């Protein structure tokens, strides 16, 4: 007897990610020194203060009971203080903050908590894969909103059909963006909020990369704008900003009713984040407020070195203002999948084809700055030699 899984399960995930993993295994089995710039997992450890906090907390017997599904009040209060410090936004820890086991946890379940089967939600293309996958799980129909270079990868809200805007429960966007490394300014967010109010739409904003910005740029929270909490929620994560990806801790902030809906769902399916991890999260936020403990400088150095080395190799890419990613337009004559595969087999450098993030990603590859600077320069050198060999 065999079990193939549900129809929904068969619609999940990107075959491209699985393909890239297979390519990588094949190349490694040939003894090639692989430089993996594929998955955006930080290669650095948390700070010593965070490590000390979690080390102490795991030895506290009180942390071994079931945690509360919404997160400890102490962690939510730390989040509220940090949002005030970082964005000037006041949040009620009781009603406007929900602790999550990583932002992917919240993004995966939000549609289930807000929508019914057959509802519509507006999601970006290209976009982080869980945005669309979450709609499959909830039986929600996606309206794919194209994000294109000619518009700086910002959506043209005026192009959304009126009937879609009328039916949609929420619109999900992500600035600074994964995979696009695009950014949005206050004027855009003000326009987005006005649009959402006009069409009675909830805005879901993913702000996981706010602390990875360069050249003096400081990303804003959508909640900074007056009236935003009437129509918006915002996800944030400690994974990238504080090198805590394996800890699985993040939070949702904003519109109290939407926060409550997700909290109600989560209370029925899990028991929340391990208390020791929440203690580490508090230490991370407190350290940032005391010392402006930012990873931006490290990634800015990596970006500069990698972009410069690629430029010397003949692949000219506009430096992104934020995130740990390079969204690189590929040379003519290739598809995203073709060049990603050949690059790996010929140079040992792993990148992700742009169409892994949606049809609009064709013509690009995503490159993650998750190796030390010397390895990034080496990757660029290998890529350059290969590209020159094709001339």
């Amino acid at each position: 007897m065999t079990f193939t899984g549900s129809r929904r399960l068969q619609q999940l995930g990107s075959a491209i990610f699985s393909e890239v993993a297979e390519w990588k295994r094949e190349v490694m089995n040939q003894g090639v020194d692989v430089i993996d710039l594929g998955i955006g997992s930080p290669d650095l450890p948390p700070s010593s203060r965070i490590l000390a906090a979690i080390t102490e907390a795991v030895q506290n017997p009180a942390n071994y009971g079931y945690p509360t599904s919404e997160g400890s009040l102490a962690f939510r209060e730390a989040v509220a203080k940090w949002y005030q410090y970082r964005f000037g936004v006041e949040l009620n820890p009781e009603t406007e903050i929900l602790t999550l086991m990583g932002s992917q946890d919240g993004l995966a379940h939000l549609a289930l908590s807000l929508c019914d089967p057959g509802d519509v939600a507006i999601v970006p293309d290209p976009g982080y894969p869980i945005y669309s996958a979450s709609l499959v799980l909830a039986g929600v129909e996606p309206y794919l909103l194209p994000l294109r270079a000619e518009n700086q990868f910002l959506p043209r809200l005026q192009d959304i059909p009126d009937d879609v805007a009328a039916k949609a429960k929420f619109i999900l966007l992500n600035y600074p963006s994964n995979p696009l490394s695009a950014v949005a300014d206050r004027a855009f967010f003000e326009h987005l909020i006005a649009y959402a109010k006009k069409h009675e739409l909830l805005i879901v904003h993913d702000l996981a990369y706010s602390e990875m910005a360069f050249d003096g740029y400081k990303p804003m929270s959508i909640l900074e704008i007056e009236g935003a909490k009437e129509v918006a929620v915002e996800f944030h994560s400690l994974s990238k900003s504080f090198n805590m990806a394996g800890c699985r801790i993040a939070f949702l902030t904003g519109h109290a009713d939407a926060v409550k809906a997700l909290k109600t769902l989560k209370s029925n399916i899990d028991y929340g984040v391990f208390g020791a991890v929440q203690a580490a999260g508090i230490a991370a936020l407190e350290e940032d407020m005391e010392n402006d403990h930012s990873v931006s400088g490290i990634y800015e150095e990596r970006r500069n070195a990698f972009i410069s080395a690629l430029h010397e190799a003949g692949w000219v890419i506009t430096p992104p203002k934020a995130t740990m990613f390079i969204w690189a337009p590929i040379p003519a004559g290739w598809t995203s999948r073709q060049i990603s595969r050949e690059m790996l087999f010929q140079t040992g450098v792993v990148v992700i084809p742009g169409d892994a993030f949606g049809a609009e990603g064709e013509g690009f590859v995503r490159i993650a700055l998750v190796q030390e600077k010397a390895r990034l320069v080496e990757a660029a050198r290998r890529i350059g030699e290969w590209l020159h060999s094709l001339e």
Side-chain angles (χ1 to χ4, degrees):
M1 188 177 215
T2 60
F3 297 92
T4 59
S6 69
R7 287 190 296 272
R8 285 180 178 174
L9 185 63
Q10 293 167 24
Q11 296 176 62
L12 289 177
S14 170
I16 300 174
F17 283 103
S18 299
E19 279 189 56
V20 172
E22 277 297 321
W23 301 341
K24 180 182 173 182
R25 279 191 289 271
E26 187 176 344
V27 171
M28 291 180 71
N29 288 340
Q30 296 172 3
V32 174
D33 172 32
V34 169
I35 302 176
D36 193 343
L37 308 182
I39 303 302
S41 181
D43 59 304
L44 299 170
S47 72
S48 58
R49 179 166 172 175
I50 295 170
L51 291 173
I54 199 168
T55 300
E56 180 180 352
V58 295
Q59 297 178 67
N60 183 351
N63 282 322
Y64 288 87
Y66 288 121
T68 58
S69 58
E70 69 266 28
S72 71
L73 181 58
F75 178 73
R76 285 178 282 130
E77 287 176 339
V79 169
K81 290 176 183 175
W82 185 78
Y83 249 70
Q84 176 64 53
Y85 161 81
R86 174 64 178 83
F87 303 112
V89 172
E90 291 188 16
L91 293 170
N92 184 332
E94 298 278 5
T95 60
E96 295 176 336
I97 301 173
L98 174 64
T99 307
L100 299 165
M101 291 183 283
S103 56
Q104 179 144 323
D105 165 33
L107 288 161
H109 292 107
L110 187 68
L112 276 170
S113 70
L114 295 176
C115 303
D116 294 311
D119 284 344
V120 174
I122 302 169
V123 291
D125 180 8
Y128 187 49
I130 195 60
Y131 298 161
S132 293
S134 67
L135 305 187
V136 173
L137 293 173
V140 173
E141 174 151 355
Y143 175 82
L144 298 177
L145 187 61
L147 306 179
R148 294 171 177 154
E150 59 262 31
N151 199 44
Q152 292 76 53
F153 298 111
L154 295 170
R156 288 175 52 87
L157 300 177
Q158 65 270 30
D159 290 348
I160 300 172
D162 287 341
D163 63 326
V164 171
K167 290 188 294 185
K169 285 294 186 76
F170 64 81
I171 179 171
L172 194 162
L173 291 168
N174 163 222
Y175 294 104
S177 170
N178 173 15
L180 303 170
S181 301
V183 298
D185 60 14
R186 178 175 291 271
F188 170 77
F189 285 124
E190 289 174 344
H191 177 50
L192 178 62
I193 289 169
Y195 180 87
K197 289 182 176 180
K198 175 182 176 181
H199 294 284
E200 298 184 341
L201 268 171
L202 178 71
I203 300 166
V204 180
H205 185 231
D206 179 4
L207 190 59
Y209 295 91
S210 73
E211 306 313 290
M212 299 177 117
F214 319 127
D215 306 321
Y217 172 66
K218 292 284 281 186
M220 67 177 292
S221 163
I222 194 172
L223 301 181
E224 292 181 39
I225 295 171
E226 187 176 355
K229 282 196 283 186
E230 299 170 16
V231 291
V233 290
E234 189 163 72
F235 286 99
H236 212 296
S237 170
L238 276 65
S239 295
K240 308 300 195 299
S241 302
F242 301 101
N243 297 318
M244 296 176 67
C247 294
R248 310 314 302 137
I249 184 163
F251 45 89
L252 177 66
T253 64
H255 194 297
D257 291 343
V259 169
K260 182 179 179 180
L262 184 55
K263 179 167 67 173
T264 300
L265 176 66
K266 295 284 292 171
S267 70
N268 281 275
I269 60 177
D270 67 56
Y271 283 101
V273 177
F274 180 34
V277 170
Q278 294 187 66
I282 292 170
L285 296 171
E286 289 180 344
E287 181 174 30
D288 189 51
M289 288 185 283
E290 292 170 16
N291 303 312
D292 193 22
H293 184 77
S294 174
V295 296
S296 289
I298 294 168
Y299 285 96
E300 186 169 354
E301 278 188 22
R302 292 180 176 187
R303 178 205 64 169
N304 292 344
F306 185 67
I307 292 279
S308 176
L310 282 181
H311 186 97
E312 290 177 14
W315 192 359
V316 179
I317 300 170
T318 301
K321 288 186 176 181
T323 81
M324 65 198 313
F325 302 113
I326 306 293
W327 185 244
I330 61 177
W334 296 89
T335 68
S336 296
R337 195 178 306 197
Q338 286 171 341
I339 198 170
S340 298
R341 188 180 192 282
E342 285 303 303
M343 190 182 299
L344 174 53
F345 277 82
Q346 298 301 322
T347 74
V349 178
V350 181
V351 301
I352 301 296
D355 60 341
F357 305 96
E360 291 288 341
E362 181 54 74
F364 295 84
V365 295
R366 193 195 73 174
I367 307 170
L369 301 172
V370 291
Q371 300 282 343
E372 61 183 19
K373 188 164 62 172
R375 290 288 277 174
L376 289 168
V377 171
E378 168 65 14
R381 183 194 64 77
R382 294 186 195 177
I383 293 168
E385 288 182 355
W386 173 61
L387 290 175
H388 287 311
S389 75
L390 301 174
E391 295 174 354

